[in-house]
């Protein structure tokens, strides 16, 4: 099997290449075959030893396939730049100890959404190096999203539905964010991304909002306005429901700017999952926008109520799963989900928190999800959204009966994540079942970090905050590949993520992904996905199932639902510094 570690010649001392907060935990990992403790020292740029100690042997780490020892230098808190950890004859990449270590991450992670906007020109003044023409507005060769037909009845994919379906006329579904490296726009992925961005705002919003619409809510509005367009209007089949997605009729190549996309666009059948996503985020948005735009808040709440009622009337309309014989998604991902009990719970929770209505409260309390474990070891995701409802019920003040039990469930989940983290010598809060890293494992890790941050907000217990900060180290270089997964951060970072818009690896005139873009990360199933770049990864240890190549869509894509929790985490870290 080929060498799967592109950083094999890099330092065996793995650190957070960006830095550590002075009052936070500080850990490193030494890759070594030594079985006994070894001395380590923290040095500054002149070689002066600042502190020292002994490693803690760990042995073989299954997630990385490496024999390792851990280093704890958390007792050292003096600020410094260009520091290194030296152990076993190796020096780490340099890093800082500073309150400003993540100073721009919150803004960078949010700006990612601006450059992913569809339906408007991207200003080079706002995002230098990323200015481009508006995409999918019907300007040739682009066929656009301003008048999109629904799937036709003569489409073979209709055989996958319970009954034939289409709609008359054309629909304007322009706007919103491109989901990932292609030009598709998906309600269920937009829903979780919007929810996590709004959750970041809600946990830190001012007590007395005033002035213009904050930047985060302005960005969120761009996606919410698009999601409202995806709701089927009165007089059309399945009125009140929400179209699952709009995407190209077939896959396109790379690189390809949105304005140059020649493919016809297709509006897909509504789904219960998409409908409940709109119900949830529109209700959440209604309570946040109320302080800035009464009309928008009212429109969002009306759309939410309508969507929830439509989903109750159509509770089992599922997006079709992939089928080798009949592919209903030739130019887009399926995002299929045949269990929407968690979406019903999430939507009911948000509607209750916004309105206080008894009916929504009763739906929350009657849901089996309300008392179920919604915090899996591998992290929640776009298809398992019960955690979003649970965390908001825990955080947002309400008169919900048993709210203390809800809060305790978040704390219990966070304790479980801390226990799992303690077994990981690279510090990540991620120990999925069977040790298999999921597609988008970095997003899963960030979602688990949000649970830790929420537990800290609820309890004030430092262990939850420290667990989040310790897991951040993994994302910024303390990992098997010695690689920061966030573009522009660290000494060596991912920069060739799968994208048609940011394709510098293929075209020197195209930019790399913008600073603050997080790569999907190691994927234990990558070799079996058909991803040609992942074929050599067969049999890989979980942490090294990754390649920073634009062609590796199974390990190296960028998506809105991975950058959203990155923004949440960055916002949380910024609050710890300013507190």
């Amino acid at each position: 099997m080929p060498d799967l570690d592109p950083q094999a010649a890099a330092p065996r001392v793995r650190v957070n290449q960006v830095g550590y907060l002075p009052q936070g935990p500080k850990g490193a990992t030494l890759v070594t075959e030594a079985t006994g403790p070894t001395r380590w020292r923290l040095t500054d740029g002149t070689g002066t030893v600042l502190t020292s100690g002994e490693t803690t042997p760990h042995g073989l780490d299954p997630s990385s396939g490496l024999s390792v020892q851990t280093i704890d230098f958390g007792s050292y808190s003096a600020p410094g730049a260009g520091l290194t950890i030296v152990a076993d004859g190796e020096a780490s990449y340099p890093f800082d100890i500073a309150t400003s270590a993540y100073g721009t991450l919150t803004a960078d992670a949010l700006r990612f959404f601006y450059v992913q906007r569809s339906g408007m020109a991207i200003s080079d003044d706002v995002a230098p190096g990323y200015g481009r023409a508006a995409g999918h507005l019907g300007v040739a060769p682009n066929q656009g999203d301003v008048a999109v037909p629904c799937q036709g009845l003569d489409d073979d994919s209709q055989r996958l539905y319970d009954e034939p379906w289409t709609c008359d006329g054309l629909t304007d579904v322009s706007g919103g964010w491109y989901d990932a490296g292609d030009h598709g726009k998906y309600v269920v992925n937009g829903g979780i991304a919007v929810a996590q961005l709004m959750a970041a705002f809600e946990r830190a919003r001012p007590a007395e909002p005033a002035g213009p619409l904050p930047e985060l809510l302005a960005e969120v509005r761009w996606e919410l306005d698009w999601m409202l367009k995806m709701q089927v209007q009165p007089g059309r089949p399945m009125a009140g429901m929400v179209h699952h997605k709009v995407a190209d009729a077939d896959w396109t190549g790379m690189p390809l700017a949105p304005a140059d996309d020649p493919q016809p666009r297709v509006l897909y059948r509504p789904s219960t999952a998409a409908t409940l996503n709109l119900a949830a985020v529109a209700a959440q948005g209604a309570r946040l926008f109320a302080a800035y735009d009464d009309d928008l808040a009212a429109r969002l709440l009306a759309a939410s109520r309508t969507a929830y009622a439509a989903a109750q009337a159509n509770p089992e309309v599922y997006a079709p799963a992939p089928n080798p014989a009949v592919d209903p998604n030739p130019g887009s991902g399926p995002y299929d989900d045949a269990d929407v009990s968690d979406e019903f719970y999430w939507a009911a929770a948000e509607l209750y928190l916004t309105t206080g209505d008894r009916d929504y409260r009763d739906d929350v309390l009657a849901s089996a999800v309300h008392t179920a474990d919604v915090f899996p070891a591998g992290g929640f995701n776009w298809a398992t959204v019960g955690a979003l409802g649970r965390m908001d019920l825990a955080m947002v003040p309400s008169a919900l009966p048993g709210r203390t039990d809800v809060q305790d469930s978040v704390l219990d989940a966070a304790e479980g994540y801390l226990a799992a983290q303690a077994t990981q010598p690279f510090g990540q809060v991620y120990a999925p079942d069977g040790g298999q890293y999921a597609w988008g494992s970095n997003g899963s890790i960030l979602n688990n970090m949000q649970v830790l941050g929420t537990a800290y907000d609820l309890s004030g217990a430092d262990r939850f905050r420290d667990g989040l900060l310790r897991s951040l180290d993994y994302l910024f270089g303390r990992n098997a590949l010695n690689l920061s997964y966030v573009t522009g951060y660290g000494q060596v970072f991912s920069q060739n993520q799968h994208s048609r818009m940011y394709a510098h690896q293929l075209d020197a005139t195209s930019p790399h992904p913008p600073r603050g873009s997080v790569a999907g990360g190691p994927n234990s199933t990558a070799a079996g996905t058909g991803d040609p770049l992942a074929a050599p990864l067969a049999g890989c240890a979980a942490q090294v199932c990754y390649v920073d190549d634009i062609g590796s869509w199974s390990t190296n894509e960028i998506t809105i639902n991975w950058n959203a929790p990155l923004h949440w985490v960055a916002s949380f870290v910024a609050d710890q510094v300013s507190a």
Side-chain angles (χ1 to χ4, degrees):
M1 189 168 66
D3 182 2
L4 300 181
D5 186 351
Q7 303 301 323
R12 288 186 292 108
V13 181
R14 309 295 163 84
V15 297
N16 183 325
Q17 298 172 21
V18 174
Y20 303 83
L21 299 184
Q23 302 306 318
K26 302 172 191 70
T29 304
L30 170 65
V31 178
T32 179
E33 295 297 327
T35 58
T38 187
R39 296 293 297 177
W40 62 264
R41 60 187 186 273
L42 173 67
T43 64
D44 65 14
T46 69
T48 300
V49 177
L50 304 175
T51 189
S52 61
E54 280 196 342
T55 62
T56 299
H58 179 89
L60 180 65
D61 168 43
S63 76
S64 64
L66 300 172
S67 294
V68 297
Q69 301 191 15
T70 58
I71 297 167
D72 184 348
F73 58 107
S75 61
Y76 187 84
S77 59
L83 309 179
T84 57
I85 292 285
V86 180
D88 200 26
E90 289 277 340
S92 70
Y93 283 129
F95 59 87
D96 297 343
I97 296 177
T99 56
S100 61
Y102 302 100
T104 63
L105 182 60
T106 306
D108 288 341
L110 180 61
R111 192 172 297 112
F112 172 84
F113 293 88
Y114 173 76
V115 298
Q116 289 286 114
R117 285 189 181 189
S118 175
M120 65 166 282
I122 301 304
S123 169
D124 207 62
D125 292 336
V126 176
Y130 293 90
R132 59 171 171 80
H136 296 95
L137 286 182
V139 178
N142 204 223
Q143 298 194 35
D145 288 346
V146 293
V148 183
C150 292
Q151 286 175 305
L153 286 173
D154 58 347
D155 192 320
D156 283 345
S157 68
Q158 291 299 329
R159 287 189 278 131
L160 292 179
Y161 291 126
D162 293 334
E163 59 185 34
W165 174 88
T166 188
C167 64
D168 296 328
L170 305 173
T171 304
D172 179 358
V173 287
S174 56
W177 300 319
Y178 296 116
D179 174 71
D182 59 85
H183 298 140
K185 298 184 295 188
Y186 308 84
V187 170
V188 295
N189 233 26
I192 188 173
V194 162
Q196 290 179 289
L197 292 179
M198 289 195 292
F201 180 84
E202 189 158 25
R203 68 172 294 275
R205 64 176 170 173
E208 296 181 5
L213 191 66
E215 180 184 4
L216 186 148
L217 291 186
E219 190 57 61
V220 162
R221 179 173 184 169
W222 188 258
E223 182 77 350
L224 285 175
D225 283 344
W226 169 73
M227 292 179 74
L228 292 175
K229 291 181 180 180
M230 294 289 280
Q231 188 168 33
V232 181
Q233 296 304 299
R236 306 188 85 176
M238 303 180 77
M241 296 285 283
V242 176
H243 291 282
H244 196 68
K245 61 184 176 179
V246 59
D248 288 333
D250 206 348
W251 291 112
T252 56
M254 298 182 297
L256 183 66
D260 297 332
D261 177 11
Q263 280 285 328
R265 303 286 274 181
V266 178
L267 187 61
Y268 284 75
R269 180 183 181 159
S271 70
T272 305
T275 304
L276 291 167
N277 266 258
L278 175 64
V281 298
Q284 184 182 14
R287 68 174 178 266
L288 297 185
F289 282 94
Y292 302 96
D293 188 329
D294 288 339
D295 290 341
L296 175 60
R299 188 159 62 98
L300 288 169
L301 185 56
S304 174
R305 290 182 185 273
T306 297
Y308 189 74
Q312 289 179 311
N314 300 275
E316 297 180 348
V317 180
Y318 304 131
N323 184 320
V326 182
D327 184 2
N329 306 281
S332 56
Y335 285 94
D336 53 301
D337 182 4
D339 179 359
V340 295
S341 58
D342 51 321
E343 281 86 358
F344 270 110
Y345 173 70
W346 175 33
E350 300 298 347
L351 277 161
Y352 169 68
L353 291 172
T354 297
T355 67
D357 286 3
R358 184 185 184 91
D359 287 346
Y360 300 130
R361 183 204 69 180
D362 290 348
D363 286 350
V364 167
L365 297 176
S367 172
V369 179
H370 188 54
T371 53
D373 181 4
V374 294
F375 301 104
F380 65 89
N381 56 45
W382 62 267
T384 55
V385 293
L388 296 175
R390 186 75 61 81
M391 287 190 290
D392 277 358
L393 288 170
M395 287 292 297
V396 179
S398 75
L400 182 74
R403 183 164 174 254
T404 299
D405 292 337
V406 172
Q407 294 174 328
D408 286 345
S409 75
V410 177
L411 298 176
D412 289 345
E415 295 286 13
Y417 286 147
L418 289 183
Q421 182 182 41
T423 69
Q424 303 300 310
F426 289 91
Q428 70 275 30
V429 60
Y430 191 59
D433 294 338
Q436 298 296 293
Y437 278 32
W439 195 320
S441 60
N442 286 340
S444 300
I445 291 170
L446 286 161
N447 288 344
N448 286 350
M449 292 165 71
Q450 182 179 350
V451 177
L452 291 182
T454 302
Y456 174 78
D457 288 340
L458 289 170
S459 68
D462 290 348
R463 63 184 180 278
F464 298 126
R465 177 200 61 203
D466 290 351
L468 182 152
L469 294 172
R470 190 172 290 111
S471 192
L472 206 60
D473 298 346
Y474 169 88
L475 293 174
F476 289 102
R478 186 188 174 188
N479 54 54
L481 297 180
N482 220 349
L483 176 73
S484 168
Y485 288 111
V486 181
T487 305
Y489 284 81
Q491 304 298 309
V492 182
F493 49 79
S494 298
Q495 59 181 338
N496 296 309
Q497 291 98 316
H498 179 78
S499 172
R500 286 154 179 76
M501 291 182 284
Y502 323 121
H504 187 79
Q505 187 178 0
L506 300 177
D507 179 356
T509 66
S510 179
H512 286 293
R515 179 179 170 87
S517 303
V518 62
N523 175 4
S524 294
T525 67
T529 62
D531 177 344
L533 274 297
L537 300 177
C540 56
Q543 276 198 50
V544 295
C545 296
Y546 172 82
V547 56
D548 183 26
D549 190 288
I550 195 170
S552 184
W553 39 266
S554 69
T555 73
N556 204 36
E557 195 160 18
I558 45 179
T559 74
I560 55 176
N561 65 306
W562 300 333
N563 247 75
L566 178 64
H567 174 80
W568 193 102
V569 166
S571 176
F572 177 92
V573 173
D575 285 350
Q576 310 317 303
V577 172
S578 62

